[in-house]
Amino acid sequence: MDPFLKKFFPDVYAKEHNIKPTDNQYCKFDSQVLTLFTSSLYLAALVDSIFASKVTRAFGRHLTMISASVLFLAGAALNGFAQQVLMLIVWLHSVPIYVSEVAPYKYRGALNMLFQLAITIGIFVANILNYLFAKMENGEGWHYSLGLARVPAIMIIIGAMFLPDSPNSLIERGQAEKAKEELIKIRGTNDVDEEFKDLVAASEASKQVKHPWSSLLKSEYRPHLTMAIAIPFFQQLTGMNVITFYAPVLFKTIGFGGTASLMSAMITGDCNALATLVSIFTVDKVGRRKLFLEGGAQMFICQLVIAAAIGSKFGTDGNPGVLPKWFALTVVVFICIYMAGFAWSWGPLGWLVPSEIFPLEVRSAAQSVNVSVNMIFTFAIAQVFTAMLCHMKFGLFIFFAFFVIVMSIFIYKFLPETKSVPIEEISLVWENHPYYNEFVKVQNLLSTLSV
């Protein structure tokens, strides 16, 4: 919004409105201060994610979600963005693990992806509100855009109050009887003895691991550590988050007006939310690997088309002249298709797969690594995006396309399928994997010999 830019980022506003003339559209928003406004939130979140493991393990997933939501509400009321995201990241750490633990294994993927659907709906609603508030003649719309973060905070608090605690977490904290009661309530049947025994056995095994952080470095957990690092790393190098963060900036760069760029961001946000529904209905049928690979192919093709379209009009000097409507429409359509590919693959699966592949004894620590890596690269990519756009120009999309190829090869070769595997039996997946089984079996043999 122009009033927001004028108040907080006057240099960017001056370049955009030719007060400081520049013909290079690629560099109009090249401001490290502007990108720091977004990326610093994730730097703060990175610090918090390191401690989230101990918080969730000591107090449980349920209480963590409620307390984090209360603090989020306080941060939203003060418009203290660092505080907001800091507390949200504790919630972000808890929710995927919580859903994976309480969901029946046949529907674990679909239920966990409702988490991603809520995020995409939130992005879509935020885009609608930004579009409407941008039309306020007094120029105060940005206050409402920021202040209304209190609404989802209140919704989270109310929703979390009605949730049962995770049986895994209760057993882990020595409350076995209550864990069985919650399991009966969640499953809707008294016939839970076998599942309860599996949960208790998994918890007993986890207690043998006194230092989960150092245990992650052992060879038997090498597959888990690899995925905890690689999946969030690659998720950011799809380029999706920066396109989501800077959609209005990107659309302004390719010739849309201020309100039109917010409208385009709203359209692409709608595509993102609708495509996430596809993943919910397919993830437990076709599996994780197929969605990863199909989404990767779709994003790769779209990124090449977008790069070619922008390159043909903007060239390397960033001066496109008058842009025809068909060009703008083409770019929006392919960004929508690109977003759809992400929304039913790397978007939700980037949170689902790490939350379900870790054994209980290292689950909280491994999830902290997962969230921390995600925050590191979200911060890094968000911070350098406008500078990359300025210097790499349309080649920026080729850069992301290259990494989509790399990550797709990685998934094809190294990620096992976890569809329909009970979470307490997930270790068997690694033992049967053609590459990782050697790490796991050697350590199991050593453990047997030591006994």
Side-chain angles (χ1 to χ4, degrees):
M1 299 180 190
D2 280 344
F4 181 77
L5 289 175
K6 190 173 183 180
K7 182 176 180 65
F8 294 103
F9 307 102
D11 286 344
V12 174
Y13 178 84
K15 283 193 287 185
E16 185 188 0
H17 291 273
N18 295 319
I19 300 170
K20 291 183 178 179
T22 176
D23 291 328
N24 191 338
Q25 292 290 112
Y26 293 122
C27 298
K28 273 193 172 183
F29 294 92
D30 183 17
S31 166
Q32 292 302 297
V33 180
L34 175 64
T35 53
L36 190 63
F37 172 71
T38 297
S39 63
S40 61
L41 314 183
Y42 296 89
L43 191 61
L46 165 64
V47 175
D48 192 59
S49 66
I50 296 170
F51 302 101
S53 169
K54 291 183 177 180
V55 173
T56 56
R57 194 160 188 171
F59 300 104
R61 326 315 185 200
H62 182 236
L63 183 59
T64 303
M65 284 190 281
I66 294 176
S67 58
S69 303
V70 171
L71 290 168
F72 173 39
L73 175 62
L78 296 170
N79 280 325
F81 279 91
Q83 291 94 320
Q84 283 187 45
V85 178
L86 205 65
M87 294 308 118
L88 262 186
I89 210 65
V90 179
W91 185 80
L92 186 67
H93 181 279
S94 303
V95 173
I97 291 180
Y98 175 84
V99 177
S100 287
E101 288 182 345
V102 302
Y105 67 86
K106 290 182 179 179
Y107 310 111
R108 186 175 65 237
L111 291 173
N112 213 313
M113 283 186 172
L114 290 173
F115 170 71
Q116 179 70 13
L117 178 65
I119 291 174
T120 58
I121 291 173
I123 293 170
F124 176 56
V125 171
N127 285 333
I128 292 175
L129 294 175
N130 285 339
Y131 178 74
L132 295 174
F133 291 142
K135 292 180 174 292
M136 292 180 66
E137 293 182 2
N138 62 5
E140 298 296 314
W142 62 270
H143 285 289
Y144 296 95
S145 290
L146 302 185
L148 280 175
R150 284 171 287 185
V151 175
I154 293 169
M155 293 170 65
I156 293 168
I157 293 170
I158 294 172
M161 286 178 176
F162 291 96
L163 293 175
D165 208 340
S166 160
N168 300 67
S169 178
L170 287 168
I171 293 170
E172 197 175 19
R173 288 177 282 138
Q175 301 178 46
E177 287 301 317
K178 188 176 180 182
K180 190 169 184 179
E181 292 173 9
E182 294 289 10
L183 187 61
I184 291 171
K185 194 184 301 181
I186 292 168
R187 298 291 181 253
T189 176
N190 291 323
D191 187 19
V192 298
D193 289 344
E194 187 175 343
E195 183 178 1
F196 181 71
K197 287 178 183 177
D198 288 340
L199 294 177
V200 172
S203 178
E204 289 301 319
S206 74
K207 288 178 182 177
Q208 304 304 313
V209 179
K210 301 298 181 183
H211 305 287
W213 284 97
S214 57
S215 296
L216 270 176
L217 300 176
K218 294 181 180 178
S219 61
E220 71 262 41
Y221 298 118
R222 195 164 299 165
H224 315 81
L225 183 60
T226 299
M227 293 299 162
I229 294 172
I231 289 177
F233 167 73
F234 284 134
Q235 187 188 48
Q236 295 311 309
L237 286 172
T238 61
M240 174 63 180
N241 270 355
V242 291
I243 288 177
T244 302
F245 295 158
Y246 299 116
V249 169
L250 185 62
F251 287 126
K252 276 188 177 183
T253 297
I254 60 175
F256 289 79
T259 305
S261 69
L262 290 172
M263 171 63 81
S264 300
M266 186 172 69
I267 293 169
T268 53
D270 186 25
C271 294
N272 191 11
L274 291 175
T276 305
L277 290 171
V278 175
S279 66
I280 291 173
F281 292 111
T282 58
V283 66
D284 290 315
K285 295 177 182 177
V286 304
R288 284 64 161 152
R289 283 169 53 86
K290 287 182 180 178
L291 284 179
F292 265 128
L293 296 173
E294 191 285 329
Q298 187 170 322
M299 287 190 291
F300 174 74
I301 293 169
C302 289
Q303 283 165 333
L304 292 184
V305 171
I306 294 167
I310 294 177
S312 67
K313 289 294 180 183
F314 287 78
T316 56
D317 62 359
N319 186 6
V322 179
L323 289 170
K325 286 186 178 181
W326 66 263
F327 170 82
L329 181 62
T330 300
V331 172
V332 170
V333 167
F334 275 94
I335 286 181
C336 272
I337 298 172
Y338 162 80
M339 282 186 159
F342 177 88
W344 59 55
S345 63
W346 279 91
L349 293 175
W351 293 108
L352 167 63
V353 172
S355 73
E356 66 182 2
I357 62 173
F358 306 136
L360 183 61
E361 62 268 24
V362 295
R363 190 171 297 155
S364 284
Q367 183 71 348
S368 279
V369 172
N370 176 55
V371 175
S372 296
V373 173
N374 197 304
M375 294 304 108
I376 289 170
F377 286 98
T378 301
F379 164 74
I381 297 295
Q383 183 61 35
V384 302
F385 173 71
T386 57
M388 290 173 73
L389 181 62
C390 180
H391 292 92
M392 297 177 70
K393 303 170 175 58
F394 62 89
L396 176 61
F397 294 94
I398 299 174
F399 170 84
F400 288 129
F402 167 76
F403 276 100
V404 168
I405 289 291
V406 173
M407 65 185 73
S408 297
I409 294 171
F410 173 84
I411 291 296
Y412 178 78
K413 193 166 180 63
F414 297 114
L415 181 70
E417 181 55 69
T418 53
K419 179 186 73 171
S420 299
V421 180
I423 196 166
E424 62 272 13
E425 298 176 13
I426 209 73
S427 59
L428 298 175
V429 169
W430 300 107
E431 291 179 16
N432 297 324
H433 191 271
Y435 178 77
Y436 287 117
N437 64 348
E438 294 303 319
F439 295 101
V440 179
K441 286 181 178 177
V442 168
Q443 186 59 38
N444 287 346
L445 178 60
L446 291 173
S447 299
T448 303
L449 291 174
S450 65
V451 172

